[in-house]
Amino acid sequence: MFSPTLIERLKTARSVAVLTGAGVSAESGIPTFRGESGLWKKFRPEELANFNAFMANPELVWEWYNWRRKLISEVKPNPGHFALAQLEQLKPEFVLITQNVDNLHHLAGNEKVYELHGNIMRSRCVDCNKIITNLNPEITTKIPRCACGGLLRPDVVWFGEMLPAHVIELAFQAARESEVFLTVGTSAQVQPAASLPIEALRNGAYVVEINFEPTVISHVVDESILGKSGEVLPQLINMLKN
Ligand code: APR
């Protein structure tokens, strides 16, 4: 499954960067977005994942995010998450760049995590921008409000919104400086995250895709490994340790 080049490059690399998407949490029981039973097959992002829709109907949007928070609060990281936490221990310069808002990389033990799309367990005030992290998953009030009276929204990046500038800059820097770049469980269709593997490639990294099915970048990366990340990643870490 793994080429001698990958093992050699990963063994000798000091700086490793990993990009993850919804696929890495699929084996924990969290639906992906564009897969067979993906969220966007059932729900309309224009109704639920954008600012105007939220301001037009915050109750509906909170109902949906409450459902997702409850679902996420009931699942655990899977072997794929734990393998990436191990990789961070093995590599002096390691960065995990995630599109996921489910907090599972943190729960698995990763520390150097760049959350490109925010974190569903945090809320932010639309007026004073205050971040609230201790809101329990089960939000009782239909429309939660900040102490300043402003509406609280999930602290995630919605369609049409800019990503946090400092986080995306750090992510591109990590891609540029990486010797090995893994892209795991993402369809690589959403920008700017989808450009990170290309940025790494352009700067000489050995870029490897681990995904359940081929993606739009499978033909440009150095190696594309098809499989479930919860199975492939632990094997890769074992190879690395031997
Ligand atoms: N292991 C590895 N890959 C998997 C697994 C698995 N167990 N299960 C599914 N996949 C793959 C799918 O084949 C698909 O290519 O994960 C990918 C998930 O792609 P998307 O559903 O498009 O999710 P993602 O790439 O993370 O979406 C990016 O889009 O909707 C927005 O903000 C949202 O962060 C999200 C962004």
Side-chain angles (χ1 to χ4, degrees):
M1 185 191 298
F2 308 116
S3 75
T5 314
L6 168 56
I7 298 302
E8 186 52 33
R9 293 286 297 259
L10 204 45
K11 274 193 171 160
T12 54
R14 282 185 58 78
S15 65
V16 173
V18 180
L19 171 69
T20 64
V24 86
S25 295
E27 290 153 86
S28 294
I30 300 180
T32 65
F33 293 95
R34 294 169 191 81
E36 208 37 57
S37 55
L39 288 172
W40 299 150
K41 290 271 174 5
K42 282 183 259 173
F43 302 100
R44 295 156 49 85
E46 57 278 11
E47 271 177 22
L48 294 165
N50 74 73
F51 186 73
N52 298 337
F54 174 72
M55 294 310 280
N57 192 344
E59 193 170 332
L60 173 71
V61 173
W62 263 118
E63 200 182 314
W64 189 61
Y65 275 90
N66 224 2
W67 169 75
R68 288 184 64 197
R69 279 182 168 197
K70 192 164 178 306
L71 180 98
I72 288 169
S73 68
E74 288 161 358
V75 303
K76 300 239 172 319
N78 65 62
H81 293 107
F82 291 116
L84 292 173
Q86 282 184 286
L87 187 55
E88 180 167 357
Q89 300 307 318
L90 294 169
K91 291 297 163 187
E93 294 157 37
F94 175 92
V95 169
L96 198 153
I97 306 160
T98 190
Q99 298 168 86
N100 300 344
V101 297
D102 59 29
N103 209 40
L104 291 181
H105 287 303
H106 287 105
L107 291 182
N110 276 110
E111 286 160 15
K112 193 107 185 251
V113 181
Y114 297 159
E115 295 174 318
L116 296 181
H117 298 161
N119 186 313
I120 202 170
M121 292 304 178
R122 289 193 306 259
S123 299
R124 179 159 48 89
C125 176
V126 298
D127 291 353
C128 71
N129 248 347
K130 187 172 174 206
I131 300 273
I132 297 179
T133 49
N134 57 10
L135 260 180
N136 68 38
E138 276 303 327
I139 295 185
T140 45
T141 53
K142 291 204 174 343
I143 306 176
R145 288 197 175 267
C146 176
C148 78
L151 264 180
L152 287 175
R153 55 165 286 172
D155 187 26
V156 297
V157 177
W158 281 327
F159 288 99
E161 291 187 323
M162 300 292 286
L163 276 62
H166 65 295
V167 179
I168 197 67
E169 182 38 47
L170 286 170
F172 272 86
Q173 186 188 343
R176 282 190 291 271
E177 293 167 359
S178 64
E179 293 161 272
V180 174
F181 188 99
L182 305 180
T183 172
V184 186
T186 180
S187 59
Q189 293 182 39
V190 175
Q191 296 296 349
S195 297
L196 288 163
I198 311 305
E199 184 78 358
L201 210 57
R202 268 207 213 104
N203 288 273
Y206 191 72
V207 179
V208 177
E209 176 184 60
I210 297 170
N211 209 59
F212 188 65
E213 59 198 337
T215 73
V216 290
I217 62 168
S218 299
H219 65 291
V220 290
V221 296
D222 294 302
E223 219 170 305
S224 179
I225 301 168
L226 296 186
K228 291 184 172 183
S229 51
E231 294 164 7
V232 173
L233 288 170
Q235 289 174 41
L236 183 60
I237 301 307
N238 285 341
M239 291 286 278
L240 207 52
K241 287 200 283 188
N242 295 337

